[in-house]
Amino acid sequence: MKPPADDPLQYCRFCFSQYRVEPLLSGGPKDQQLVKQIRSLVQIELDPNQAATTAICSRCRHQLTEFQLFRDRCSHHDSIVREKVEGSQSSQNDMWYAVETLGDGEDSNDDEASLSKDDPLQGVSDVVSKNKTRESFWRAISQDVGVIPDHIKRTLELTGFYRNASLGMISPTTIKQIEQDMRDTVEHVISSKCPKGENIVEVLRQYYGAVYCKNPSKFKFLVGEVQTILSITAAVQENGINEYLSKACVPQRGKHRDELLIAADKPDDAEMLAEKLIEKLHDYYKQHSTESEEFRAFFARLPVVEKCIVRLREDGTIFGLLYCSYCNINLQAVVEGNTWKISNFVKHCQQHYRVEFNKAAKRKRPLGDGDNATD
């Protein structure tokens, strides 16, 4: 058997496919990691010079990702089992059993059992506090991935991925299994969430979404929802689950804001700068306005001049605090080159009102004499 073409960039190095192939290496910082991954997973040693002229098809690249996720999941769950049964070997045949028994009066809690012992949320006992930390946890992730539909949150919670490192190990294959699990648990959802048989459709909407709430036995995620879940996984892989767990425990306002204000002075033209900051923010969203009720409600809750605080740091940097009335937090905007940068606030507010960037062209608006206010 011979390679399908003389040019190695015209076929996949791993399956000889000539469909949807691309260079294996992109010239970026992750190239070395990819070469090591191939060596580790499929025991193929690629010479650096050879790898530069090697191609891979989309299917094999996907298989590598799947294989890595499978390996990581196996390692993660194996470590959990070994930690639980450490030292509990049989004295007769050295066999160990991954069985955890409950003592008298103990209750099984699958949600808590899925957490690591270092979970900073584990000590939260009050129901109201748990609801708040749940909201804070998903809000923290939403700041990185955008809006997460409620039924996706509840689905991931019900299937054991909530507040768990495995949230960063979900693959397309895992999503298929989650869909099957949700189809198999319809009766459980109904019996546990609405035992009196009231508001069944509304409860099913919370877990299966608007499309499948009346036919949950056919449930599956929509294409966009699959991408949202994969975005969540990518964010957890990049940042680690503990970052989001910690954010869920940190008060959203107060000390950090006060420390910022104490460590900075109020510039002489603070009021004028605040007006220009709010003007730019409102002007930005007017450029992306729609006729929807959702936009009007969002625009009405944008920061106003009276609540905009502008300060001057010791290094000469001017910053402003923009208050988000949805999350009760303050987000910083800074002046760079006599121009307010509001991208931090805009990125955060994507979870409250998603701006379609490709539908509105940027335009420049004067900030001062000869200055432009574009991010």
Side-chain angles (χ1 to χ4, degrees):
M1 185 176 183
K2 296 181 179 180
D6 293 332
D7 185 356
L9 290 176
Q10 297 300 314
Y11 61 89
C12 176
R13 170 70 168 75
F14 307 99
C15 72
F16 281 6
S17 171
Q18 293 181 282
Y19 176 66
R20 296 179 67 181
V21 296
E22 60 184 7
L24 177 66
L25 305 183
S26 62
K30 294 185 178 181
D31 283 354
Q32 191 63 30
Q33 179 183 348
L34 179 59
V35 172
K36 290 181 179 179
Q37 184 185 47
I38 292 172
R39 180 173 63 244
S40 172
L41 297 179
V42 295
Q43 282 76 54
I44 292 179
E45 186 75 41
L46 292 175
D47 179 85
N49 295 327
Q50 181 188 30
T53 57
T54 297
I56 186 173
C57 68
S58 58
R59 184 173 181 273
C60 284
R61 188 180 289 276
H62 173 71
Q63 292 278 31
L64 277 175
T65 302
E66 285 275 300
F67 198 177
Q68 184 67 59
L69 287 171
F70 173 73
R71 182 176 177 176
D72 291 344
R73 283 196 300 272
C74 290
S75 177
H76 172 68
H77 293 118
D78 179 65
S79 65
I80 293 175
V81 172
R82 290 182 181 277
E83 182 179 344
K84 286 183 177 293
V85 300
E86 184 178 0
S88 59
Q89 294 181 331
S90 169
S91 59
Q92 294 181 349
N93 55 14
D94 290 334
M95 292 292 289
W96 54 267
Y97 300 86
V99 178
E100 184 178 22
T101 59
L102 296 175
D104 294 339
E106 291 183 271
D107 294 323
S108 173
N109 189 321
D110 293 338
D111 186 43
E112 295 299 327
S114 67
L115 300 176
S116 72
K117 62 183 180 181
D118 296 324
D119 179 12
L121 302 185
Q122 201 163 9
V124 179
S125 57
D126 180 72
V127 174
V128 175
S129 296
K130 281 189 174 182
N131 288 336
K132 288 184 177 179
T133 53
R134 172 189 178 273
E135 294 171 1
S136 298
F137 174 78
W138 288 118
R139 185 186 302 123
I141 295 180
S142 295
Q143 290 178 4
D144 290 335
V145 305
V147 178
I148 304 175
D150 284 340
H151 74 280
I152 290 181
K153 301 174 188 176
R154 294 181 184 275
T155 295
L156 294 175
E157 292 167 7
L158 187 63
T159 52
F161 291 94
Y162 173 50
R163 291 160 46 186
N164 194 298
S166 60
L167 192 60
M169 301 177 186
I170 298 176
S171 69
T173 301
T174 312
I175 291 175
K176 293 295 184 183
Q177 184 59 55
I178 292 173
E179 292 172 339
Q180 184 60 53
D181 289 345
M182 291 303 295
R183 291 192 290 266
D184 293 341
T185 56
V186 176
E187 293 301 324
H188 168 73
V189 170
I190 294 175
S191 61
S192 62
K193 303 302 177 182
C194 45
K196 296 182 179 180
E198 300 176 353
N199 301 320
I200 292 180
V201 174
E202 180 56 34
V203 169
L204 292 177
R205 185 190 304 274
Q206 294 174 6
Y207 284 86
Y208 296 91
V211 176
Y212 289 98
C213 63
K214 295 183 178 180
N215 193 12
S217 62
K218 301 292 185 181
F219 172 76
K220 65 178 181 179
F221 292 110
L222 305 180
V223 174
E225 294 171 349
V226 170
Q227 294 304 314
T228 296
I229 295 173
L230 294 178
S231 296
I232 294 172
T233 292
V236 174
Q237 284 180 344
E238 180 177 354
N239 302 314
I241 189 66
N242 283 332
E243 175 172 331
Y244 298 110
L245 292 174
S246 298
K247 286 182 178 180
C249 290
V250 176
Q252 294 297 317
R253 56 183 307 191
K255 184 177 179 181
H256 180 61
R257 171 182 175 273
D258 293 341
E259 288 178 347
L260 284 172
L261 298 181
I262 291 173
D265 297 322
K266 183 177 180 180
D268 295 335
D269 55 350
E271 286 75 14
M272 182 192 70
L273 289 169
E275 290 176 0
K276 290 188 177 296
L277 172 56
I278 297 302
E279 181 184 355
K280 177 177 182 179
L281 184 67
H282 285 212
D283 186 54
Y284 171 84
Y285 280 107
K286 286 178 182 178
Q287 294 176 45
H288 298 84
S289 64
T290 66
E291 298 299 323
S292 68
E293 185 65 32
E294 178 190 11
F295 174 79
R296 287 193 290 270
F298 169 76
F299 192 84
R301 297 183 66 166
L302 286 176
V304 294
V305 174
E306 290 74 19
K307 290 191 176 182
C308 179
I309 301 173
V310 176
R311 291 292 185 268
L312 176 67
R313 297 194 183 100
E314 290 184 358
D315 62 2
T317 303
I318 295 176
F319 70 92
L321 295 181
L322 294 170
Y323 178 70
C324 174
S325 61
Y326 290 91
C327 304
N328 294 329
I329 62 174
N330 288 280
L331 295 110
Q332 289 192 58
V334 297
V335 173
E336 294 182 5
N338 205 28
T339 299
W340 277 113
K341 297 294 182 180
I342 60 173
S343 55
N344 189 38
F345 184 86
V346 171
K347 178 182 177 181
H348 168 80
C349 284
Q350 283 290 88
Q351 62 182 304
H352 306 310
Y353 177 76
R354 179 167 289 277
V355 171
E356 299 294 340
F357 295 104
N358 60 331
K359 292 184 179 180
K362 289 183 177 180
R363 69 178 180 85
K364 293 185 176 181
R365 176 185 59 76
L367 175 65
D369 294 337
D371 298 311
N372 292 316
T374 56
D375 277 341

